[in-house]
């Protein structure tokens, strides 16, 4: 199993540009989570999906952020327009069985730098 | 949101010694806790979990202790090795089993 796969690993973009982060969860996992990690705020849950349906997006900072999960094997997190304060490491995680975190696996993250 | 905090931001230990990393949580309704290890450039990696109906759980070289009375978690690492150097996070599930709140992390430095 290749684990949770995120791309790109690094992204540098100019302020105002659109950024799309991608995630492929572990096959068979029915929950997918997007987190953001910064030194100041630590790990923050942005949004999570269950069976491709967004369940809780209360952590999404503002309307510039959007996430989709068109199928069980793919999700995107989009920032449009991007701002320097969006610079962070964005993690995707997936889990199996409702609430069982033994299967809660993180990807390696995408380091986003907005200049 | 929930408040999960760590008492020690940085912990330095000698190789071979035991390490204890502490964590305070705020929501008495939390019933599931996890410790994660994060190495530089990688995502958090599951170490061990514990449910609120337990006080102690042991894994390979690691033990998690839960004190619900004072809302405190600890992670004990036996015979700490250089490979244990990382940032360790505790997480609680608050009122939602799938919505976890992470502490700010403790950096563990293992000196050879």
């Amino acid at each position: 199993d290749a684990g949770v796969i995120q791309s790109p690993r690094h992204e540098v973009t100019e302020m105002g540009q659109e950024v799309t982060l991608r995630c492929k969860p572990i096959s068979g996992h029915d929950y997918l989570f997007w987190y953001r990690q910064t030194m100041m705020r630590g790990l923050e849950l942005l949004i999570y999906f269950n069976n491709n349906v967004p369940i809780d997006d209360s952590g999404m900072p503002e309307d510039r952020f959007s996430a989709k999960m068109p199928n069980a094997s793919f999700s995107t997190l989009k920032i449009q327009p991007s701002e320097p304060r969006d610079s962070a490491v964005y993690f995707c995680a997936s889990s199996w069985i409702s609430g069982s975190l033994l299967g809660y696996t993180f990807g390696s993250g995408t380091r986003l730098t907005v200049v | 949101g929930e408040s999960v905090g760590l008492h020690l931001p940085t912990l330095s230990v000698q190789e071979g010694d035991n390490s204890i990393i502490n964590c305070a949580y705020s929501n008495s309704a939390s019933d599931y806790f996890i410790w994660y290890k994060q190495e530089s450039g990688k995502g958090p990696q599951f170490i061990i979990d514990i449910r609120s109906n337990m006080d102690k759980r042991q894994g390979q070289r690691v033990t998690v202790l839960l004190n619900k009375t004072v809302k405190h978690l600890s992670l004990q690492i036996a015979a700490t090795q250089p490979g244990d150097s990382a940032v360790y996070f505790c997480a609680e599930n608050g009122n939602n089993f799938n919505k976890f709140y992470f502490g700010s992390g403790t950096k563990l430095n293992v000196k050879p």
Side-chain angles (χ1 to χ4, degrees):
Chain A
D1 191 336
V4 176
I5 300 172
Q6 292 186 245
S7 64
R9 286 300 310 274
H10 302 276
E11 176 80 34
V12 180
T13 191
E14 292 185 346
M15 182 174 62
Q17 296 298 306
E18 177 181 294
V19 176
T20 300
L21 311 181
R22 298 173 175 79
C23 175
K24 176 177 168 51
I26 291 174
S27 178
H29 283 195
D30 53 0
Y31 283 82
L32 184 140
F33 308 81
W34 282 101
Y35 282 86
R36 177 172 68 176
Q37 186 176 39
T38 62
M39 289 296 294
M40 292 297 294
R41 300 176 66 89
L43 267 167
E44 302 174 278
L45 177 64
L46 301 177
I47 185 171
Y48 77 91
F49 296 82
N50 177 216
N51 293 323
N52 313 336
V53 176
I55 302 300
D56 186 338
D57 65 354
S58 60
M60 296 287 261
E62 41 194 285
D63 292 345
R64 297 184 296 105
F65 287 69
S66 62
K68 294 181 180 179
M69 192 166 185
N71 57 63
S73 60
F74 184 66
S75 177
T76 59
L77 177 67
K78 185 178 293 186
I79 308 173
Q80 166 65 19
S82 58
E83 297 183 3
R85 60 193 170 119
D86 301 331
S87 297
V89 181
Y90 290 81
F91 288 102
C92 176
S94 67
S95 77
W96 62 12
I97 306 176
S98 178
S100 171
L101 292 196
L102 283 176
Y104 204 112
T105 304
F106 281 82
S108 296
T110 294
R111 181 175 293 277
L112 173 65
T113 303
V114 183
V115 297
Chain B
E2 307 298 337
S3 173
V4 179
L6 295 172
H7 297 305
L8 298 174
T10 304
L11 177 65
S12 294
V13 299
Q14 203 69 38
E15 180 180 358
D17 288 350
N18 297 332
S19 303
I20 300 176
I21 302 172
N22 297 302
C23 176
Y25 64 94
S26 63
N27 192 335
S28 56
S30 293
D31 61 1
Y32 192 1
F33 306 87
I34 303 179
W35 279 100
Y36 284 91
K37 172 187 180 182
Q38 187 175 23
E39 296 174 281
S40 181
K42 298 183 179 180
Q45 178 185 7
F46 172 92
I47 301 174
I48 192 167
D49 60 351
I50 189 168
R51 296 186 184 270
S52 59
N53 60 353
M54 304 171 69
D55 296 322
K56 179 179 179 179
R57 189 158 187 233
Q58 287 184 295
Q60 187 176 14
R61 284 202 305 117
V62 294
T63 301
V64 55
L65 299 177
L66 174 62
N67 185 331
K68 295 180 288 295
T69 302
V70 295
K71 291 185 286 188
H72 184 267
L73 270 172
S74 69
L75 176 70
Q76 299 178 0
I77 304 174
T80 314
Q81 303 169 359
D84 295 327
S85 293
V87 176
Y88 290 81
F89 296 93
C90 65
E92 63 170 318
N93 68 337
N95 294 313
N96 183 330
F97 194 66
N98 272 311
K99 191 170 181 176
F100 268 67
Y101 301 92
F102 285 77
S104 56
T106 292
K107 185 174 183 180
L108 177 65
N109 291 321
V110 181
K111 296 175 286 186

